[in-house]
Amino acid sequence: MPELDRFHHVRFYPSTASHIRYHATQRPNSTAVIDQGKVFTYEDFTRDIAKMKDAMGDLRLAAGQLVGVEFLQFDGNFSGFYFHWVQLLALEELGVATMSFTRAEAPHMQDILQSLDLVLAFPDAPGVASKKQHIMDKDWISHAIRRAPDFNVPPAQLYPDTASRIVKSSGTTGSIKYMIRSVENQEYIYRTAQLCGGYEFQSRFFAAGGFAVSAFHAAAVTCIRAGGCCVYDTKKDTAEALSSYDITHASFLVHSLMSMLGSISKNYKKPTSLRILTIGSAVSQAVRIRLLKFLAEEVFETYGTNESSSISTIDALGVGVVLPGVEVDVVDENDVAVIGVPGRIRVRSQGCVRGYYNNPAATKKMFRDGWFYPGDIGIKADAHTLSLVGRSDSLLNIRGLKVAPEEFEEILMRDMPLKDVCVLTLPDKENIEHVVIVVTLNEGADRSDITNRIQKLLPPFFGATRVAYVPEIPKTGTGKIERAFLRQALLEHGQNT
């Protein structure tokens, strides 16, 4: 809970490192992090954060500054996941906001990297440019690790509006956008993650990726604040890691889950109490059934965005229940709230950022009158339930009818031997739009009967439907189909079917 002043207003929040110190005092030898098989206790964690805080102090960083930190997985004895997390927590103790990025992302993020107060990068990082950069070479890392920890330096006070994390969001179209989450935003995220995840001392969270994906960061912090253990291991097969580490909680991008389901061996032993939280896109009923059969005891799906964090939970039938503390409206073209009919979703909560960093045009478009408009279409049956129809920028105009392609994609994925599918429209020679089903087949699937089977599963008003076969359907980092990119690629390549 945040500390209160005598007028009962929030003064400041405790840092995540203070939660770790609490658990270290109670249970110093309990495992906090396992990185590539190497174990770090809560006592180790507390000591190393103090050392790194001292090392970061040498860089003359001030509270309120913005710092990018490269995540790079090393071989050998260097524990990259743990080391990266120690850095983030030390910087938080100094009141510095952080952004995690990978080497592969850096060339596409020059605008944000050049605007930060400092970028911490490893040697020979290609494409990393900034106005101020510190190279984390072996000498600097060794010097930081060998320091004597100073536990007497008080942490910076973290107020509700203090900048905390910098995250990116590109959605399904457009260039990358960045936003600065405040401490209040992050605290909302952790509360929601705890509500949905139910983390405790015995919890073991598997981080399927680094903290450049904000959902992994949120779940790991929530688990560690509860006194649990966080596991990162890229050396083991993912399914094997879930089983061998007795993982209780894991977050996955949906396309990663589908890939993992396709590679599970017949001898795989399903974990006994695994809860999976899905990220990025909706889970089809077919995928949900397979997850529950082969991998997890519970599949937990939420609807949200990086701008707003979680908005609602979603059950197996696709019905969402709005989370506590979130206001959601479905509005018509005049911004009037409607019930029982499709409309544009807008949301506001403590989890919502106030706009995009250095992007006033996008802020003006997506944030209006205190509301964030994510670009999704939904239906509210009542004040507390929200069902998603699709994205406003993905709705198809088929013979004058507005159609959400997602529901038909789910039907095709469920009933056909498809690895992936996208429903869109393309113009013919007379500039009339026709439905095209873009598919990636499962290995060994036969094309000869696919078109006829697809036609039988689609409604008659779709009319004559073409099928285009592609080796891969392009997606964003969070697994959402890049429809505009795919449409343009098909137009440029003659819509081969």
Side-chain angles (χ1 to χ4, degrees):
M1 291 292 292
E3 183 173 323
L4 306 179
D5 65 15
R6 60 194 180 91
F7 299 109
H8 304 292
H9 294 141
V10 173
R11 285 182 56 203
F12 60 88
Y13 287 89
S15 66
T16 295
S18 68
H19 290 264
I20 294 170
R21 287 192 290 271
Y22 168 79
H23 295 302
T25 303
Q26 279 202 323
R27 304 175 295 118
N29 296 320
S30 293
T31 301
V33 178
I34 301 175
D35 186 355
Q36 309 288 30
K38 188 173 182 179
V39 174
F40 298 90
T41 66
Y42 272 93
E43 185 175 51
D44 295 332
F45 214 175
T46 296
R47 180 198 63 232
D48 292 340
I49 292 168
K51 290 181 179 181
M52 186 57 66
K53 179 180 175 183
D54 195 28
M56 292 296 182
D58 291 347
L59 302 178
R60 302 186 182 281
L61 293 167
Q65 289 188 314
L66 310 178
V67 172
V69 185
E70 182 186 3
F71 170 75
L72 184 63
Q73 182 55 56
F74 276 70
D75 293 326
N77 295 322
F78 185 86
S79 301
F81 175 82
Y82 175 74
F83 180 76
H84 183 78
W85 201 355
V86 166
Q87 289 180 295
L88 300 186
L89 294 171
L91 289 166
E92 183 188 48
E93 288 273 279
L94 296 172
V96 173
T98 55
M99 179 185 75
S100 302
F101 68 95
T102 65
R103 184 158 292 191
E105 292 176 314
H108 310 289
M109 299 172 62
Q110 290 305 301
D111 52 345
I112 184 75
L113 292 175
Q114 292 173 12
S115 72
L116 300 177
D117 295 294
L118 180 67
V119 172
L120 298 170
F122 292 100
D124 303 320
V128 176
S130 61
K131 62 183 180 182
K132 186 178 180 184
Q133 187 174 142
H134 176 76
I135 302 299
M136 299 182 290
D137 56 23
K138 291 182 179 179
D139 289 340
W140 185 82
I141 293 172
S142 297
H143 181 63
I145 291 173
R146 283 198 291 264
R147 286 174 179 261
D150 185 353
F151 298 106
N152 297 316
V153 179
Q157 294 184 344
L158 304 178
Y159 296 94
D161 288 336
T162 299
S164 178
R165 287 284 286 169
I166 308 161
V167 296
K168 61 184 182 299
S169 176
S170 60
T172 54
T173 60
S175 59
I176 297 175
K177 298 184 285 291
Y178 306 95
M179 64 211 79
I180 299 177
R181 286 181 178 162
S182 67
V183 169
E184 182 178 59
N185 295 152
Q186 288 296 122
E187 290 294 330
Y188 168 85
I189 290 169
Y190 303 146
R191 289 198 306 272
T192 301
Q194 179 61 36
L195 174 67
C196 296
Y199 294 94
E200 56 184 4
F201 283 5
Q202 291 76 29
S203 297
R204 285 196 161 204
F205 170 72
F206 182 77
F211 290 160
V213 176
S214 60
F216 296 147
H217 174 264
V221 169
T222 305
C223 181
I224 214 73
R225 285 186 170 203
C229 169
C230 295
V231 178
Y232 181 84
D233 197 327
T234 59
K235 296 178 181 179
K236 292 178 184 258
D237 173 80
T238 302
E240 177 192 350
L242 295 175
S243 179
S244 62
Y245 285 115
D246 295 322
I247 299 299
T248 61
H249 297 72
S251 299
F252 289 101
L253 298 166
V254 173
H255 62 84
S256 297
L257 278 174
M258 294 175 68
S259 176
M260 183 165 49
L261 283 171
S263 62
I264 290 178
S265 69
K266 295 180 180 179
N267 298 324
Y268 176 71
K269 184 180 179 181
K270 178 183 173 182
T272 56
S273 57
L274 175 61
R275 170 181 285 197
I276 286 180
L277 175 66
T278 62
I279 304 170
S281 56
V283 181
S284 70
Q285 185 65 6
V287 171
R288 184 186 291 269
I289 290 171
R290 291 179 65 199
L291 286 172
L292 293 173
K293 181 178 180 180
F294 296 109
L295 201 62
E297 288 298 310
E298 186 176 6
V299 177
F300 210 83
E301 184 180 357
T302 61
Y303 163 59
T305 70
N306 279 323
E307 292 88 345
S308 65
S309 184
S310 296
I311 296 171
S312 68
T313 56
I314 302 176
D315 66 18
L317 299 177
V319 178
V321 178
V322 178
L323 287 162
V326 180
E327 292 181 74
V328 179
D329 278 347
V330 171
V331 299
D332 62 17
E333 294 181 356
N334 297 314
D335 259 7
V336 176
V338 293
I339 295 290
V341 295
R344 291 176 301 147
I345 294 172
R346 67 181 184 185
V347 59
R348 59 186 176 190
S349 73
Q350 287 185 335
C352 281
V353 298
R354 296 180 179 178
Y356 296 111
Y357 177 66
N358 286 347
N359 195 336
T363 297
K364 183 178 180 180
K365 178 181 178 182
M366 306 294 284
F367 295 84
R368 299 194 298 277
D369 301 322
W371 294 91
F372 169 62
Y373 290 74
D376 295 322
I377 302 297
I379 299 174
K380 285 188 73 174
D382 53 51
H384 307 291
T385 60
L386 175 69
S387 298
L388 295 178
V389 174
R391 285 194 58 81
S392 59
D393 56 14
S394 70
L395 289 179
L396 306 179
N397 189 336
I398 302 176
R399 299 185 177 185
L401 296 176
K402 295 289 187 180
V403 175
E406 291 86 354
E407 75 172 277
F408 299 103
E409 289 163 354
E410 180 171 343
I411 291 171
L412 294 172
M413 283 293 294
R414 182 185 65 213
D415 296 337
M416 298 285 292
L418 306 179
K419 183 178 180 181
D420 212 347
V421 63
C422 174
V423 179
L424 47 74
T425 61
L426 290 174
D428 61 16
K429 294 180 180 179
E430 297 177 346
N431 208 33
I432 298 174
E433 296 280 332
H434 293 276
V435 176
V436 177
I437 312 298
V438 187
V439 302
T440 301
L441 293 178
N442 283 332
E443 187 174 349
D446 184 5
R447 282 194 188 191
S448 59
D449 192 41
I450 293 294
T451 301
N452 289 334
R453 291 178 62 186
I454 286 177
Q455 284 281 9
K456 293 177 182 178
L457 290 171
L458 298 176
F461 74 86
F462 270 32
T465 301
R466 288 177 289 173
V467 179
Y469 296 92
V470 297
E472 185 177 9
I473 290 176
K475 295 186 176 182
T476 67
T478 56
K480 296 177 182 177
I481 296 173
E482 293 186 312
R483 296 180 192 275
F485 179 85
L486 180 57
R487 175 183 165 92
Q488 186 60 35
L490 289 172
L491 288 171
E492 291 175 357
H493 290 83
Q495 310 169 26
N496 291 326
T497 60

